[in-house]
Amino acid sequence: MARGSSAGAVVAALTAAALAVIGFFTYQASAAQDRDKAGSSGSSDSRGGSGGQAEREKKKRETNLPAFSGTGERVVYDLDRDRVWLMGPDQEVKRTFRVAPSSVDPKPGTYKVESRAPHVTGSDGVPVENVVRFATSQGTTIGFSSALDGSFPEADPQKQTGGIRERRADGEAMWLFATIGTKVVVVR
């Protein structure tokens, strides 16, 4: 009889240990969810590490509006980050997105949208849409555009091109936002 009761005690102990482990993991998952909702630095990514917070911080640094980029309604183009911000009149970011730079950069400064075209062939021979031109540098007209085929190419440094390429949805947003005379601030 002693043998049967010791086996039952082992089973009971193992069951209790398993329930304790399950309870601990449930508590950990709940606490991680609470930290994530609170925005704490202890939040974790899907692998259980703290990489999620690091990714959010990196994205925030990449998307923060550059200092000294002006005020009021404007397009801000950061040459170093290859990023654009569409800014409303009250300093609110309407949209921000990455772009593929042209091989000819505009000089940092303030410009105005000079011309627009719904469809043209870019200086690289690619059919583009939603063209918003704002500067000329080294004899090359510079502007934002989207390739009709959706491509997002790297600029060929051997060719002198002025097309700053956007993804099609971003190009549509730029087209609707940046009408003739809209301020464009280029920073580094």
Side-chain angles (χ1 to χ4, degrees):
M1 199 72 153
R3 185 177 156 107
S5 64
S6 87
V10 169
V11 169
L14 288 174
T15 302
L19 289 173
V21 168
I22 290 170
F24 174 76
F25 285 133
T26 302
Y27 168 76
Q28 287 292 336
S30 176
Q33 214 171 18
D34 291 343
R35 282 192 307 268
D36 194 40
K37 284 180 185 173
S40 129
S41 62
S43 67
S44 58
D45 66 8
S46 61
R47 294 175 309 239
S50 62
Q53 181 68 21
E55 272 303 305
R56 283 190 292 280
E57 289 297 321
K58 179 181 176 195
K59 180 147 180 89
K60 186 176 178 182
R61 280 191 306 278
E62 285 178 358
T63 60
N64 278 347
L65 182 67
F68 311 109
S69 62
T71 59
E73 191 170 86
R74 67 201 182 284
V75 174
V76 176
Y77 175 34
D78 187 321
L79 296 168
D80 291 337
R81 292 192 271 173
D82 297 327
R83 180 166 287 279
V84 168
W85 291 259
L86 305 180
M87 299 299 298
D90 298 322
Q91 278 303 95
E92 75 272 14
V93 176
K94 299 286 191 182
R95 188 179 188 108
T96 184
F97 50 90
R98 291 193 47 81
V99 295
S102 57
S103 63
V104 177
D105 282 335
K107 291 183 175 147
T110 301
Y111 303 86
K112 288 189 185 258
V113 173
E114 298 172 353
S115 66
R116 297 166 19 113
H119 294 95
V120 298
T121 299
S123 54
D124 58 359
V126 175
V128 294
E129 65 182 352
N130 298 325
V131 179
V132 175
R133 300 178 196 99
F134 65 92
T136 301
S137 182
Q138 303 172 29
T140 301
T141 301
I142 298 173
F144 301 103
S145 63
S146 303
L148 286 175
D149 66 5
S151 63
F152 200 65
E154 291 286 324
D156 181 351
Q158 303 302 318
K159 293 182 180 176
Q160 209 166 316
T161 61
I164 303 161
R165 290 292 159 76
E166 308 157 306
R167 290 188 168 76
R168 291 189 79 185
D170 297 328
E172 179 71 21
M174 175 71 78
W175 178 259
L176 295 171
F177 182 86
T179 57
I180 300 291
T182 299
K183 185 169 38 172
V184 179
V185 179
V186 178
V187 298
R188 209 172 256 296

XYZ file of all heavy atoms in Angstrom, residues 106-107 111-112 114 133-137 140-143 186:
119
model
N 19.070 68.514 -54.540
C 18.925 69.963 -54.410
C 19.777 70.427 -53.233
O 20.059 69.649 -52.319
C 17.434 70.133 -54.103
C 17.046 68.843 -53.454
C 17.900 67.782 -54.086
N 20.189 71.678 -53.244
C 20.935 72.219 -52.098
C 19.953 72.460 -50.953
O 18.790 72.781 -51.198
C 21.611 73.523 -52.492
C 22.725 73.317 -53.476
C 23.429 74.611 -53.794
C 24.605 74.267 -54.685
N 24.946 75.245 -55.637
N 12.326 76.192 -51.022
C 11.874 76.282 -52.407
C 10.350 76.368 -52.421
O 9.712 76.248 -51.394
C 12.306 75.035 -53.198
C 13.796 74.780 -53.187
C 14.397 74.058 -52.160
C 14.605 75.239 -54.214
C 15.764 73.820 -52.155
C 15.980 74.997 -54.213
C 16.547 74.286 -53.173
O 17.896 74.054 -53.174
N 9.797 76.504 -53.598
C 8.348 76.423 -53.794
C 8.079 75.491 -54.964
O 8.877 75.408 -55.893
C 7.758 77.802 -54.088
C 7.746 78.710 -52.877
C 6.952 79.971 -53.158
C 7.062 80.886 -51.970
N 5.925 80.894 -51.132
N 7.131 74.559 -58.303
C 7.121 75.384 -59.515
C 6.195 74.848 -60.591
O 5.576 75.608 -61.327
C 8.540 75.480 -60.093
C 9.520 76.148 -59.158
C 10.960 76.052 -59.659
O 11.224 75.359 -60.671
O 11.826 76.667 -59.028
N 7.518 69.301 -59.189
C 8.869 69.853 -59.374
C 9.051 71.095 -58.510
O 8.157 71.937 -58.433
C 9.076 70.207 -60.841
C 8.942 69.030 -61.783
C 9.108 69.476 -63.234
N 8.624 68.487 -64.161
C 7.435 68.536 -64.743
N 6.607 69.535 -64.523
N 7.069 67.573 -65.579
N 10.265 71.212 -57.913
C 10.482 72.341 -57.011
C 11.856 72.984 -57.111
O 12.092 74.027 -56.502
C 10.228 71.922 -55.554
C 11.207 70.889 -55.045
C 12.367 71.276 -54.390
C 10.959 69.539 -55.209
C 13.271 70.338 -53.923
C 11.850 68.592 -54.737
C 13.008 68.988 -54.093
N 12.801 72.423 -57.818
C 14.161 72.991 -57.841
C 14.875 72.614 -59.132
O 14.471 71.709 -59.857
C 14.964 72.481 -56.646
N 15.975 73.323 -59.380
C 16.893 72.987 -60.465
C 18.296 73.034 -59.884
O 18.639 73.950 -59.148
C 16.766 73.988 -61.629
O 15.423 73.967 -62.093
C 17.695 73.618 -62.772
N 19.087 72.011 -60.194
C 20.468 71.955 -59.721
C 21.317 71.325 -60.814
O 20.922 70.310 -61.396
C 20.552 71.127 -58.435
O 21.872 71.097 -57.951
N 19.633 70.321 -63.915
C 18.657 69.236 -63.844
C 17.474 69.665 -62.992
O 17.650 70.148 -61.874
C 19.306 67.970 -63.227
O 20.416 67.589 -64.046
C 18.316 66.829 -63.134
N 16.266 69.475 -63.515
C 15.055 69.776 -62.753
C 14.839 68.672 -61.729
O 14.955 67.484 -62.053
C 13.841 69.875 -63.694
O 14.105 70.913 -64.645
C 12.576 70.193 -62.930
N 14.507 69.082 -60.497
C 14.352 68.129 -59.399
C 12.911 68.149 -58.913
O 12.312 69.219 -58.734
C 15.309 68.479 -58.242
C 16.747 68.383 -58.753
C 15.081 67.553 -57.052
C 17.777 68.869 -57.775
N 12.370 66.948 -58.704
C 11.005 66.848 -58.200
C 10.691 65.447 -57.717
O 11.458 64.511 -57.908
N 14.313 71.796 -47.835
C 15.297 70.723 -47.989
C 16.341 70.901 -46.897
O 16.915 71.982 -46.733
C 15.967 70.756 -49.377
C 17.011 69.665 -49.496
C 14.904 70.621 -50.476
